[in-house]
Coordinates of all heavy atoms in Angstrom, one line a residue:
S261 N -2.8 4.3 -14.0 CA -3.1 5.7 -13.8 C -3.3 6.4 -15.2 O -4.2 7.3 -15.3 CB -2.1 6.5 -13.0 OG -0.8 6.3 -13.6
R265 N -6.9 8.1 -16.4 CA -7.1 9.5 -16.9 C -7.8 9.6 -18.2 O -8.6 10.5 -18.4 CB -5.7 10.2 -16.9 CG -5.8 11.7 -17.3 CD -4.5 12.4 -17.0 NE -4.7 13.9 -17.3 CZ -3.9 14.8 -16.8 NH1 -2.9 14.5 -16.0 NH2 -4.0 16.1 -17.2
A281 N -5.4 5.2 -3.0 CA -5.3 5.5 -4.4 C -4.8 7.0 -4.6 O -4.8 7.4 -5.8 CB -6.6 5.3 -5.1
R282 N -4.5 7.7 -3.6 CA -4.1 9.1 -3.7 C -2.9 9.2 -4.7 O -1.9 8.5 -4.5 CB -3.7 9.7 -2.3 CG -4.9 9.6 -1.3 CD -6.0 10.6 -1.6 NE -5.6 12.0 -1.4 CZ -5.5 12.9 -2.3 NH1 -5.7 12.6 -3.6 NH2 -5.1 14.1 -2.0
G283 N -3.0 10.0 -5.7 CA -2.0 10.2 -6.6 C -2.2 9.5 -7.9 O -1.6 9.9 -8.9
V284 N -3.1 8.5 -8.0 CA -3.3 7.9 -9.3 C -4.0 8.8 -10.3 O -4.0 8.6 -11.5 CB -4.0 6.5 -9.2 CG1 -3.2 5.6 -8.3 CG2 -5.4 6.7 -8.6
F285 N -4.7 9.8 -9.7 CA -5.3 10.8 -10.6 C -4.9 12.1 -10.0 O -5.0 12.3 -8.8 CB -6.9 10.7 -10.5 CG -7.6 11.5 -11.6 CD1 -7.6 11.0 -12.9 CD2 -8.2 12.7 -11.3 CE1 -8.3 11.8 -13.9 CE2 -8.9 13.4 -12.2 CZ -8.9 12.9 -13.6
P286 N -4.4 13.1 -10.7 CA -3.7 14.3 -10.2 C -4.7 15.1 -9.4 O -5.8 15.4 -9.8 CB -3.2 15.0 -11.4 CG -3.2 14.0 -12.5 CD -4.3 13.0 -12.2
D287 N -4.3 15.6 -8.2 CA -5.1 16.5 -7.4 C -5.4 17.8 -8.2 O -6.5 18.4 -8.0 CB -4.4 16.9 -6.1 CG -4.4 15.8 -5.1 OD1 -5.0 14.7 -5.3 OD2 -3.9 16.0 -4.0
S288 N -4.5 18.2 -9.0 CA -4.7 19.4 -9.8 C -5.7 19.3 -10.9 O -6.1 20.3 -11.5 CB -3.3 19.9 -10.3 OG -2.8 18.9 -11.2
H289 N -6.1 18.1 -11.3 CA -7.0 17.9 -12.4 C -8.4 18.4 -12.0 O -8.9 18.1 -10.9 CB -7.1 16.5 -12.8 CG -7.7 16.2 -14.1 ND1 -9.0 16.4 -14.4 CD2 -7.1 15.8 -15.3 CE1 -9.2 16.1 -15.7 NE2 -8.1 15.7 -16.2
D290 N -9.1 19.1 -12.8 CA -10.3 19.8 -12.5 C -11.4 18.7 -12.2 O -12.4 19.1 -11.5 CB -10.8 20.7 -13.6 CG -12.0 21.6 -13.2 OD1 -11.9 22.3 -12.2 OD2 -13.0 21.5 -13.9
H292 N -11.0 16.1 -10.4 CA -10.8 15.4 -9.1 C -11.4 16.1 -8.0 O -11.2 17.3 -7.8 CB -9.3 15.3 -8.9 CG -8.9 14.4 -7.8 ND1 -8.2 14.8 -6.6 CD2 -9.1 13.1 -7.6 CE1 -8.1 13.7 -5.8 NE2 -8.6 12.7 -6.4
S421 N 4.8 19.8 1.6 CA 4.4 19.6 0.3 C 4.9 20.6 -0.7 O 5.5 20.4 -1.8 CB 2.9 19.4 0.2 OG 2.5 19.3 -1.1
G425 N 7.5 19.0 -3.1 CA 6.9 18.8 -4.5 C 6.5 17.4 -4.7 O 6.7 16.5 -3.9
P426 N 5.9 17.1 -5.9 CA 5.3 15.8 -6.2 C 6.3 14.8 -6.5 O 5.9 13.6 -6.6 CB 4.4 16.1 -7.4 CG 5.0 17.3 -8.0 CD 5.5 18.2 -6.9
E427 N 7.6 15.1 -6.8 CA 8.6 14.1 -7.0 C 9.0 13.4 -5.7 O 9.6 12.3 -5.8 CB 9.8 14.7 -7.8 CG 9.4 15.1 -9.2 CD 8.8 14.0 -10.0 OE1 9.3 12.9 -10.0 OE2 7.8 14.3 -10.6
A428 N 8.7 14.0 -4.6 CA 9.1 13.4 -3.3 C 8.1 12.2 -3.0 O 7.0 12.1 -3.6 CB 9.0 14.4 -2.2
Y430 N 6.0 10.4 0.2 CA 5.5 10.7 1.5 C 4.9 9.5 2.1 O 4.0 8.8 1.6 CB 4.4 11.8 1.4 CG 4.8 13.1 0.8 CD1 4.8 13.2 -0.6 CD2 5.3 14.1 1.5 CE1 5.2 14.4 -1.2 CE2 5.8 15.3 0.9 CZ 5.7 15.4 -0.5 OH 6.1 16.6 -1.1
V445 N -1.1 17.3 1.5 CA 0.0 17.1 0.5 C -0.7 17.1 -0.9 O -1.7 16.6 -1.1 CB 0.8 15.8 0.7 CG1 1.8 15.6 -0.4 CG2 1.5 15.9 2.0
Q446 N 0.0 17.8 -1.9 CA -0.5 17.8 -3.2 C 0.0 16.6 -4.0 O 1.2 16.4 -4.2 CB -0.1 19.1 -4.0 CG -0.6 19.2 -5.4 CD -2.0 19.9 -5.4 OE1 -2.5 20.2 -4.4 NE2 -2.5 20.1 -6.6
Y447 N -0.9 15.6 -4.3 CA -0.5 14.4 -4.9 C -0.8 14.5 -6.4 O -1.9 14.7 -6.8 CB -1.3 13.2 -4.3 CG -0.9 13.0 -2.8 CD1 -1.7 13.3 -1.8 CD2 0.4 12.5 -2.5 CE1 -1.4 13.2 -0.5 CE2 0.8 12.4 -1.2 CZ -0.1 12.7 -0.2 OH 0.2 12.6 1.1
E448 N 0.3 14.2 -7.2 CA 0.2 14.4 -8.6 C 0.6 13.1 -9.4 O 0.4 13.1 -10.6 CB 1.1 15.6 -9.1 CG 0.6 16.9 -8.5 CD -0.7 17.4 -9.1 OE1 -1.0 17.2 -10.3 OE2 -1.5 17.9 -8.3
R449 N 1.1 12.2 -8.7 CA 1.6 11.0 -9.5 C 1.4 9.7 -8.6 O 1.3 9.8 -7.4 CB 3.1 11.1 -9.8 CG 4.0 11.2 -8.6 CD 5.5 11.2 -9.0 NE 6.3 11.2 -7.7 CZ 6.6 10.1 -7.1 NH1 6.2 8.9 -7.5 NH2 7.3 10.1 -6.0
P450 N 1.3 8.6 -9.2 CA 1.1 7.3 -8.4 C 2.4 7.0 -7.7 O 3.5 7.5 -8.1 CB 0.8 6.3 -9.5 CG 1.3 6.8 -10.8 CD 1.2 8.3 -10.7
H451 N 2.3 6.2 -6.6 CA 3.4 5.8 -5.8 C 4.1 7.0 -5.1 O 5.3 6.8 -4.6 CB 4.4 5.0 -6.6 CG 3.8 4.0 -7.5 ND1 3.0 3.0 -7.1 CD2 3.8 3.9 -8.9 CE1 2.6 2.3 -8.1 NE2 3.0 2.8 -9.2
Q452 N 3.4 8.1 -5.0 CA 3.9 9.2 -4.3 C 3.5 9.2 -2.8 O 4.2 9.8 -1.9 CB 3.3 10.5 -4.9 CG 3.8 11.8 -4.3 CD 3.1 13.0 -4.9 OE1 2.4 12.9 -5.9 NE2 3.2 14.2 -4.3
W453 N 2.5 8.4 -2.5 CA 1.9 8.4 -1.1 C 1.8 7.0 -0.7 O 1.2 6.1 -1.3 CB 0.5 9.1 -1.2 CG -0.5 8.7 -0.1 CD1 -1.6 8.1 -0.2 CD2 -0.4 9.1 1.3 NE1 -2.3 8.0 1.0 CE2 -1.5 8.7 2.0 CE3 0.6 9.9 2.0 CZ2 -1.7 8.9 3.3 CZ3 0.4 10.1 3.4 CH2 -0.8 9.6 4.0

Side-chain angles (χ1 to χ4, degrees):
S261 59
R265 182 163 183 162
R282 301 290 287 115
V284 298
F285 194 76
D287 283 0
S288 59
H289 198 290
D290 191 53
H292 192 240
S421 175
E427 292 306 312
Y430 303 86
V445 173
Q446 184 83 0
Y447 295 106
E448 296 294 320
R449 62 175 185 85
H451 316 299
Q452 182 186 349
W453 160 246

